[in-house]
Amino acid sequence: MTKRLEQYLQERCDRYVREFEERDDAVTALKVGLLKERGAQILNVKANARNIKRSVQGNQEIIRYEAHWQYFIKQKDFYYIEEENKKRIAVFEDGECLSETEIQVPQHPDVQEELQLKEAPDFRQYEYNRLKAVQYAERYWQEYNPAYHAFEDDCTNFISQCLHAGGVPMWGKPNRGNGWWYSGKSWSYSWTVAHALKLLLQSPKGGPKATKVSSPDQLELGDVICYDFEGDGRTNHTTIVTAKDYFDMPLVNAHTFDSRQRYWSYEDSTKYTPQMKYTFFHIENDE
């Protein structure tokens, strides 16, 4: 990459920080306001460009990259770092930037087939190791484990990997509409599709075994939150709890819009609507 492009990306990231510090747009103003409601404030913010990919189309140069954000947050006497990646694309011609936009990630198409859940086979008694699940979520929150297929809409694939890393066994192979499993170039709907995983978690048939709880403060590290952005009954997104804030409320990791220790409510998301509904799942051990 030319020094001119490197300089542009650094200048753009510096401008992100400056715009944030000046509350120069509705998104940053909203984030600051929501933090204030929680008794929190951002002490420092940094941005840099990463995962840069360059291609050429005719006389135009296409740069895809991630703007990696870090927010150093203070809440009472508790400090933590929230991180996120925003995927962007910039188009250059003759060294000048013609446009720069955020890349929109397509969601998995709706799974029309209903899950045909049968009783899971008797597992050997297993313990859900929350530490290992969280460690996995921390290790891979902003990248892909090469042992699994990488999807553009990767949120549920990532959460399934976290649960499996915590010791939850797969079952149901090779029926894609039954069970929860991943194998090479094939996988169950519940492994990769947010709504299918939610249906599985709330079903008494098989695992991962989970109990629905009524409020986020009842969740523990390694538990799962499902999000219905439009409130239309279809789950769109899943996250895993990896930390708690000063008031014992969940902070979550996620893929697709890669996030680390993000506040659970997602009210600062561009996907948020007043109709958003949440489902909170406490992951159980097999007994």
Side-chain angles (χ1 to χ4, degrees), residues 40-73:
Q41 65 181 114
I42 295 175
L43 298 183
N44 193 17
V45 58
K46 293 183 179 180
N48 59 72
R50 62 188 302 275
N51 289 342
I52 301 166
K53 297 179 181 179
R54 174 184 175 273
S55 61
V56 176
Q57 296 180 7
N59 60 346
Q60 292 185 342
E61 193 170 21
I62 314 298
I63 304 296
R64 295 174 180 267
Y65 71 100
E66 292 175 347
H68 174 220
W69 290 84
Q70 290 182 310
Y71 309 96
F72 183 44
I73 297 173

mmCIF file of all heavy atoms in Angstrom, residues 40-73:
data_model
loop_
_atom_site.group_PDB
_atom_site.id
_atom_site.type_symbol
_atom_site.label_atom_id
_atom_site.label_comp_id
_atom_site.label_asym_id
_atom_site.label_seq_id
_atom_site.Cartn_x
_atom_site.Cartn_y
_atom_site.Cartn_z
ATOM 1 N N ALA A 40 -21.552 6.369 33.861
ATOM 2 C CA ALA A 40 -20.250 6.069 33.268
ATOM 3 C C ALA A 40 -19.832 7.170 32.310
ATOM 4 O O ALA A 40 -20.666 7.951 31.830
ATOM 5 C CB ALA A 40 -20.293 4.725 32.535
ATOM 6 N N GLN A 41 -18.545 7.219 32.029
ATOM 7 C CA GLN A 41 -18.018 8.184 31.076
ATOM 8 C C GLN A 41 -16.795 7.621 30.378
ATOM 9 O O GLN A 41 -16.097 6.746 30.910
ATOM 10 C CB GLN A 41 -17.649 9.500 31.777
ATOM 11 C CG GLN A 41 -16.514 9.355 32.780
ATOM 12 C CD GLN A 41 -16.180 10.651 33.477
ATOM 13 O OE1 GLN A 41 -16.375 10.788 34.679
ATOM 14 N NE2 GLN A 41 -15.667 11.604 32.729
ATOM 15 N N ILE A 42 -16.559 8.078 29.158
ATOM 16 C CA ILE A 42 -15.381 7.671 28.405
ATOM 17 C C ILE A 42 -14.224 8.603 28.760
ATOM 18 O O ILE A 42 -14.313 9.816 28.579
ATOM 19 C CB ILE A 42 -15.660 7.717 26.888
ATOM 20 C CG1 ILE A 42 -16.727 6.685 26.520
ATOM 21 C CG2 ILE A 42 -14.385 7.459 26.098
ATOM 22 C CD1 ILE A 42 -17.149 6.726 25.068
ATOM 23 N N LEU A 43 -13.141 8.031 29.283
ATOM 24 C CA LEU A 43 -11.973 8.820 29.644
ATOM 25 C C LEU A 43 -11.031 9.008 28.455
ATOM 26 O O LEU A 43 -10.336 10.012 28.371
ATOM 27 C CB LEU A 43 -11.214 8.142 30.796
ATOM 28 C CG LEU A 43 -11.974 7.971 32.115
ATOM 29 C CD1 LEU A 43 -11.051 7.347 33.156
ATOM 30 C CD2 LEU A 43 -12.524 9.300 32.613
ATOM 31 N N ASN A 44 -11.019 8.022 27.557
ATOM 32 C CA ASN A 44 -10.125 8.105 26.402
ATOM 33 C C ASN A 44 -10.680 7.230 25.289
ATOM 34 O O ASN A 44 -11.342 6.220 25.549
ATOM 35 C CB ASN A 44 -8.724 7.631 26.787
ATOM 36 C CG ASN A 44 -7.683 7.979 25.741
ATOM 37 O OD1 ASN A 44 -7.912 8.833 24.883
ATOM 38 N ND2 ASN A 44 -6.543 7.317 25.786
ATOM 39 N N VAL A 45 -10.439 7.618 24.049
ATOM 40 C CA VAL A 45 -10.885 6.836 22.909
ATOM 41 C C VAL A 45 -9.762 6.798 21.869
ATOM 42 O O VAL A 45 -9.074 7.795 21.649
ATOM 43 C CB VAL A 45 -12.193 7.404 22.304
ATOM 44 C CG1 VAL A 45 -12.019 8.841 21.876
ATOM 45 C CG2 VAL A 45 -12.668 6.561 21.124
ATOM 46 N N LYS A 46 -9.569 5.628 21.250
ATOM 47 C CA LYS A 46 -8.559 5.466 20.212
ATOM 48 C C LYS A 46 -9.181 4.750 19.024
ATOM 49 O O LYS A 46 -10.100 3.946 19.179
ATOM 50 C CB LYS A 46 -7.368 4.647 20.734
ATOM 51 C CG LYS A 46 -6.546 5.335 21.808
ATOM 52 C CD LYS A 46 -5.354 4.474 22.208
ATOM 53 C CE LYS A 46 -4.509 5.159 23.275
ATOM 54 N NZ LYS A 46 -3.343 4.317 23.680
ATOM 55 N N ALA A 47 -8.656 5.025 17.842
ATOM 56 C CA ALA A 47 -9.091 4.326 16.633
ATOM 57 C C ALA A 47 -7.890 4.082 15.737
ATOM 58 O O ALA A 47 -6.992 4.923 15.642
ATOM 59 C CB ALA A 47 -10.146 5.140 15.887
ATOM 60 N N ASN A 48 -7.858 2.916 15.092
ATOM 61 C CA ASN A 48 -6.824 2.638 14.111
ATOM 62 C C ASN A 48 -7.383 1.725 13.034
ATOM 63 O O ASN A 48 -8.432 1.093 13.214
ATOM 64 C CB ASN A 48 -5.578 2.030 14.762
ATOM 65 C CG ASN A 48 -5.883 0.730 15.482
ATOM 66 O OD1 ASN A 48 -6.124 -0.290 14.849
ATOM 67 N ND2 ASN A 48 -5.885 0.775 16.813
ATOM 68 N N ALA A 49 -6.718 1.662 11.895
ATOM 69 C CA ALA A 49 -7.152 0.835 10.776
ATOM 70 C C ALA A 49 -6.457 -0.521 10.848
ATOM 71 O O ALA A 49 -5.264 -0.614 11.142
ATOM 72 C CB ALA A 49 -6.833 1.518 9.461
ATOM 73 N N ARG A 50 -7.224 -1.597 10.587
ATOM 74 C CA ARG A 50 -6.661 -2.943 10.629
ATOM 75 C C ARG A 50 -7.340 -3.804 9.560
ATOM 76 O O ARG A 50 -8.334 -3.393 8.974
ATOM 77 C CB ARG A 50 -6.823 -3.571 12.017
ATOM 78 C CG ARG A 50 -8.251 -3.742 12.443
ATOM 79 C CD ARG A 50 -8.385 -4.180 13.899
ATOM 80 N NE ARG A 50 -7.697 -5.410 14.171
ATOM 81 C CZ ARG A 50 -8.217 -6.623 13.977
ATOM 82 N NH1 ARG A 50 -9.436 -6.738 13.480
ATOM 83 N NH2 ARG A 50 -7.540 -7.700 14.264
ATOM 84 N N ASN A 51 -6.786 -4.986 9.329
ATOM 85 C CA ASN A 51 -7.325 -5.918 8.319
ATOM 86 C C ASN A 51 -7.570 -5.210 6.987
ATOM 87 O O ASN A 51 -8.658 -5.264 6.417
ATOM 88 C CB ASN A 51 -8.611 -6.572 8.821
ATOM 89 C CG ASN A 51 -8.352 -7.576 9.925
ATOM 90 O OD1 ASN A 51 -7.229 -8.028 10.104
ATOM 91 N ND2 ASN A 51 -9.391 -7.917 10.663
ATOM 92 N N ILE A 52 -6.544 -4.537 6.502
ATOM 93 C CA ILE A 52 -6.669 -3.726 5.285
ATOM 94 C C ILE A 52 -6.514 -4.624 4.047
ATOM 95 O O ILE A 52 -5.561 -5.388 3.935
ATOM 96 C CB ILE A 52 -5.601 -2.616 5.282
ATOM 97 C CG1 ILE A 52 -5.771 -1.724 6.516
ATOM 98 C CG2 ILE A 52 -5.688 -1.797 4.007
ATOM 99 C CD1 ILE A 52 -4.595 -0.815 6.784
ATOM 100 N N LYS A 53 -7.468 -4.524 3.139
ATOM 101 C CA LYS A 53 -7.436 -5.286 1.890
ATOM 102 C C LYS A 53 -7.593 -4.329 0.714
ATOM 103 O O LYS A 53 -8.484 -3.486 0.720
ATOM 104 C CB LYS A 53 -8.541 -6.341 1.876
ATOM 105 C CG LYS A 53 -8.399 -7.388 2.966
ATOM 106 C CD LYS A 53 -9.528 -8.390 2.927
ATOM 107 C CE LYS A 53 -9.376 -9.413 4.045
ATOM 108 N NZ LYS A 53 -10.499 -10.400 4.034
ATOM 109 N N ARG A 54 -6.732 -4.494 -0.284
ATOM 110 C CA ARG A 54 -6.708 -3.584 -1.427
ATOM 111 C C ARG A 54 -7.038 -4.346 -2.705
ATOM 112 O O ARG A 54 -6.587 -5.468 -2.911
ATOM 113 C CB ARG A 54 -5.326 -2.935 -1.539
ATOM 114 C CG ARG A 54 -5.114 -2.073 -2.759
ATOM 115 C CD ARG A 54 -3.672 -1.570 -2.791
ATOM 116 N NE ARG A 54 -3.384 -0.834 -4.021
ATOM 117 C CZ ARG A 54 -2.984 -1.398 -5.151
ATOM 118 N NH1 ARG A 54 -2.831 -2.720 -5.204
ATOM 119 N NH2 ARG A 54 -2.740 -0.673 -6.227
ATOM 120 N N SER A 55 -7.851 -3.742 -3.565
ATOM 121 C CA SER A 55 -8.126 -4.306 -4.878
ATOM 122 C C SER A 55 -8.226 -3.171 -5.884
ATOM 123 O O SER A 55 -8.392 -2.001 -5.505
ATOM 124 C CB SER A 55 -9.420 -5.127 -4.868
ATOM 125 O OG SER A 55 -10.523 -4.317 -4.532
ATOM 126 N N VAL A 56 -8.116 -3.511 -7.177
ATOM 127 C CA VAL A 56 -8.172 -2.507 -8.244
ATOM 128 C C VAL A 56 -9.283 -2.882 -9.206
ATOM 129 O O VAL A 56 -9.392 -4.033 -9.635
ATOM 130 C CB VAL A 56 -6.824 -2.412 -8.990
ATOM 131 C CG1 VAL A 56 -6.926 -1.442 -10.165
ATOM 132 C CG2 VAL A 56 -5.721 -1.982 -8.033
ATOM 133 N N GLN A 57 -10.130 -1.914 -9.543
ATOM 134 C CA GLN A 57 -11.183 -2.088 -10.538
ATOM 135 C C GLN A 57 -11.064 -0.936 -11.544
ATOM 136 O O GLN A 57 -11.421 0.200 -11.233
ATOM 137 C CB GLN A 57 -12.565 -2.095 -9.885
ATOM 138 C CG GLN A 57 -12.795 -3.266 -8.938
ATOM 139 C CD GLN A 57 -14.164 -3.244 -8.297
ATOM 140 O OE1 GLN A 57 -15.015 -2.420 -8.640
ATOM 141 N NE2 GLN A 57 -14.390 -4.151 -7.355
ATOM 142 N N GLY A 58 -10.534 -1.256 -12.726
ATOM 143 C CA GLY A 58 -10.300 -0.200 -13.707
ATOM 144 C C GLY A 58 -9.277 0.774 -13.185
ATOM 145 O O GLY A 58 -8.170 0.397 -12.793
ATOM 146 N N ASN A 59 -9.634 2.052 -13.167
ATOM 147 C CA ASN A 59 -8.707 3.063 -12.663
ATOM 148 C C ASN A 59 -9.011 3.443 -11.212
ATOM 149 O O ASN A 59 -8.537 4.467 -10.726
ATOM 150 C CB ASN A 59 -8.741 4.318 -13.554
ATOM 151 C CG ASN A 59 -10.133 4.947 -13.593
ATOM 152 O OD1 ASN A 59 -11.114 4.324 -13.188
ATOM 153 N ND2 ASN A 59 -10.217 6.171 -14.102
ATOM 154 N N GLN A 60 -9.816 2.604 -10.556
ATOM 155 C CA GLN A 60 -10.149 2.883 -9.160
ATOM 156 C C GLN A 60 -9.491 1.866 -8.233
ATOM 157 O O GLN A 60 -9.332 0.695 -8.576
ATOM 158 C CB GLN A 60 -11.670 2.855 -8.955
ATOM 159 C CG GLN A 60 -12.393 3.996 -9.652
ATOM 160 C CD GLN A 60 -13.880 4.017 -9.337
ATOM 161 O OE1 GLN A 60 -14.453 3.027 -8.887
ATOM 162 N NE2 GLN A 60 -14.513 5.151 -9.573
ATOM 163 N N GLU A 61 -9.118 2.339 -7.084
ATOM 164 C CA GLU A 61 -8.503 1.509 -6.061
ATOM 165 C C GLU A 61 -9.510 1.372 -4.913
ATOM 166 O O GLU A 61 -10.036 2.365 -4.407
ATOM 167 C CB GLU A 61 -7.219 2.181 -5.566
ATOM 168 C CG GLU A 61 -6.328 1.294 -4.748
ATOM 169 C CD GLU A 61 -4.968 1.940 -4.507
ATOM 170 O OE1 GLU A 61 -4.866 3.185 -4.630
ATOM 171 O OE2 GLU A 61 -4.016 1.206 -4.210
ATOM 172 N N ILE A 62 -9.798 0.120 -4.526
ATOM 173 C CA ILE A 62 -10.800 -0.165 -3.492
ATOM 174 C C ILE A 62 -10.077 -0.620 -2.230
ATOM 175 O O ILE A 62 -9.320 -1.595 -2.257
ATOM 176 C CB ILE A 62 -11.793 -1.250 -3.946
ATOM 177 C CG1 ILE A 62 -12.286 -0.994 -5.375
ATOM 178 C CG2 ILE A 62 -12.946 -1.352 -2.959
ATOM 179 C CD1 ILE A 62 -13.033 0.300 -5.559
ATOM 180 N N ILE A 63 -10.306 0.071 -1.146
ATOM 181 C CA ILE A 63 -9.691 -0.268 0.129
ATOM 182 C C ILE A 63 -10.787 -0.676 1.109
ATOM 183 O O ILE A 63 -11.681 0.112 1.423
ATOM 184 C CB ILE A 63 -8.892 0.905 0.715
ATOM 185 C CG1 ILE A 63 -7.837 1.402 -0.273
ATOM 186 C CG2 ILE A 63 -8.245 0.493 2.041
ATOM 187 C CD1 ILE A 63 -6.776 0.388 -0.590
ATOM 188 N N ARG A 64 -10.733 -1.934 1.560
ATOM 189 C CA ARG A 64 -11.621 -2.415 2.610
ATOM 190 C C ARG A 64 -10.806 -2.518 3.899
ATOM 191 O O ARG A 64 -9.701 -3.057 3.892
ATOM 192 C CB ARG A 64 -12.215 -3.777 2.250
ATOM 193 C CG ARG A 64 -13.129 -3.755 1.031
ATOM 194 C CD ARG A 64 -13.559 -5.162 0.646
ATOM 195 N NE ARG A 64 -14.430 -5.139 -0.512
ATOM 196 C CZ ARG A 64 -15.756 -5.104 -0.455
ATOM 197 N NH1 ARG A 64 -16.359 -5.109 0.731
ATOM 198 N NH2 ARG A 64 -16.499 -5.075 -1.553
ATOM 199 N N TYR A 65 -11.353 -2.042 4.983
ATOM 200 C CA TYR A 65 -10.620 -2.092 6.239
ATOM 201 C C TYR A 65 -11.584 -2.042 7.410
ATOM 202 O O TYR A 65 -12.789 -1.822 7.251
ATOM 203 C CB TYR A 65 -9.617 -0.933 6.323
ATOM 204 C CG TYR A 65 -10.228 0.438 6.517
ATOM 205 C CD1 TYR A 65 -10.263 1.026 7.781
ATOM 206 C CD2 TYR A 65 -10.764 1.150 5.449
ATOM 207 C CE1 TYR A 65 -10.818 2.279 7.969
ATOM 208 C CE2 TYR A 65 -11.305 2.408 5.625
ATOM 209 C CZ TYR A 65 -11.332 2.968 6.892
ATOM 210 O OH TYR A 65 -11.893 4.216 7.077
ATOM 211 N N GLU A 66 -11.046 -2.287 8.594
ATOM 212 C CA GLU A 66 -11.817 -2.163 9.823
ATOM 213 C C GLU A 66 -11.273 -0.994 10.624
ATOM 214 O O GLU A 66 -10.058 -0.880 10.826
ATOM 215 C CB GLU A 66 -11.715 -3.440 10.665
ATOM 216 C CG GLU A 66 -12.401 -4.639 10.052
ATOM 217 C CD GLU A 66 -12.181 -5.899 10.862
ATOM 218 O OE1 GLU A 66 -11.312 -5.889 11.754
ATOM 219 O OE2 GLU A 66 -12.877 -6.886 10.585
ATOM 220 N N ALA A 67 -12.172 -0.148 11.043
ATOM 221 C CA ALA A 67 -11.801 0.882 12.006
ATOM 222 C C ALA A 67 -11.971 0.258 13.391
ATOM 223 O O ALA A 67 -13.081 -0.080 13.803
ATOM 224 C CB ALA A 67 -12.701 2.100 11.861
ATOM 225 N N HIS A 68 -10.861 0.046 14.067
ATOM 226 C CA HIS A 68 -10.868 -0.602 15.378
ATOM 227 C C HIS A 68 -10.922 0.466 16.458
ATOM 228 O O HIS A 68 -10.032 1.308 16.564
ATOM 229 C CB HIS A 68 -9.613 -1.470 15.536
ATOM 230 C CG HIS A 68 -9.471 -2.068 16.899
ATOM 231 N ND1 HIS A 68 -8.276 -2.152 17.542
ATOM 232 C CD2 HIS A 68 -10.391 -2.617 17.741
ATOM 233 C CE1 HIS A 68 -8.441 -2.718 18.727
ATOM 234 N NE2 HIS A 68 -9.717 -3.010 18.858
ATOM 235 N N TRP A 69 -11.987 0.434 17.255
ATOM 236 C CA TRP A 69 -12.208 1.428 18.308
ATOM 237 C C TRP A 69 -11.903 0.832 19.673
ATOM 238 O O TRP A 69 -12.221 -0.325 19.950
ATOM 239 C CB TRP A 69 -13.661 1.881 18.316
ATOM 240 C CG TRP A 69 -14.078 2.706 17.153
ATOM 241 C CD1 TRP A 69 -14.485 2.273 15.923
ATOM 242 C CD2 TRP A 69 -14.168 4.136 17.113
ATOM 243 N NE1 TRP A 69 -14.816 3.331 15.118
ATOM 244 C CE2 TRP A 69 -14.640 4.490 15.825
ATOM 245 C CE3 TRP A 69 -13.907 5.155 18.027
ATOM 246 C CZ2 TRP A 69 -14.839 5.811 15.444
ATOM 247 C CZ3 TRP A 69 -14.105 6.465 17.649
ATOM 248 C CH2 TRP A 69 -14.565 6.782 16.368
ATOM 249 N N GLN A 70 -11.345 1.651 20.551
ATOM 250 C CA GLN A 70 -11.180 1.310 21.961
ATOM 251 C C GLN A 70 -11.685 2.474 22.809
ATOM 252 O O GLN A 70 -11.304 3.629 22.583
ATOM 253 C CB GLN A 70 -9.714 1.042 22.302
ATOM 254 C CG GLN A 70 -9.153 -0.239 21.714
ATOM 255 C CD GLN A 70 -7.713 -0.448 22.145
ATOM 256 O OE1 GLN A 70 -6.872 0.437 22.034
ATOM 257 N NE2 GLN A 70 -7.418 -1.638 22.644
ATOM 258 N N TYR A 71 -12.574 2.149 23.751
ATOM 259 C CA TYR A 71 -13.114 3.162 24.664
ATOM 260 C C TYR A 71 -12.694 2.796 26.085
ATOM 261 O O TYR A 71 -13.046 1.715 26.583
ATOM 262 C CB TYR A 71 -14.636 3.203 24.599
ATOM 263 C CG TYR A 71 -15.217 3.314 23.208
ATOM 264 C CD1 TYR A 71 -15.642 2.177 22.523
ATOM 265 C CD2 TYR A 71 -15.361 4.543 22.574
ATOM 266 C CE1 TYR A 71 -16.186 2.269 21.251
ATOM 267 C CE2 TYR A 71 -15.912 4.643 21.302
ATOM 268 C CZ TYR A 71 -16.316 3.496 20.652
ATOM 269 O OH TYR A 71 -16.863 3.574 19.392
ATOM 270 N N PHE A 72 -11.958 3.686 26.721
ATOM 271 C CA PHE A 72 -11.568 3.476 28.119
ATOM 272 C C PHE A 72 -12.642 4.122 28.987
ATOM 273 O O PHE A 72 -12.819 5.342 28.974
ATOM 274 C CB PHE A 72 -10.198 4.099 28.380
ATOM 275 C CG PHE A 72 -9.678 3.875 29.776
ATOM 276 C CD1 PHE A 72 -9.768 2.631 30.373
ATOM 277 C CD2 PHE A 72 -9.095 4.917 30.486
ATOM 278 C CE1 PHE A 72 -9.282 2.426 31.654
ATOM 279 C CE2 PHE A 72 -8.605 4.724 31.761
ATOM 280 C CZ PHE A 72 -8.706 3.473 32.348
ATOM 281 N N ILE A 73 -13.387 3.295 29.732
ATOM 282 C CA ILE A 73 -14.602 3.742 30.415
ATOM 283 C C ILE A 73 -14.438 3.658 31.924
ATOM 284 O O ILE A 73 -13.916 2.669 32.462
ATOM 285 C CB ILE A 73 -15.811 2.894 29.955
ATOM 286 C CG1 ILE A 73 -16.050 3.109 28.457
ATOM 287 C CG2 ILE A 73 -17.066 3.238 30.749
ATOM 288 C CD1 ILE A 73 -17.101 2.201 27.852
#
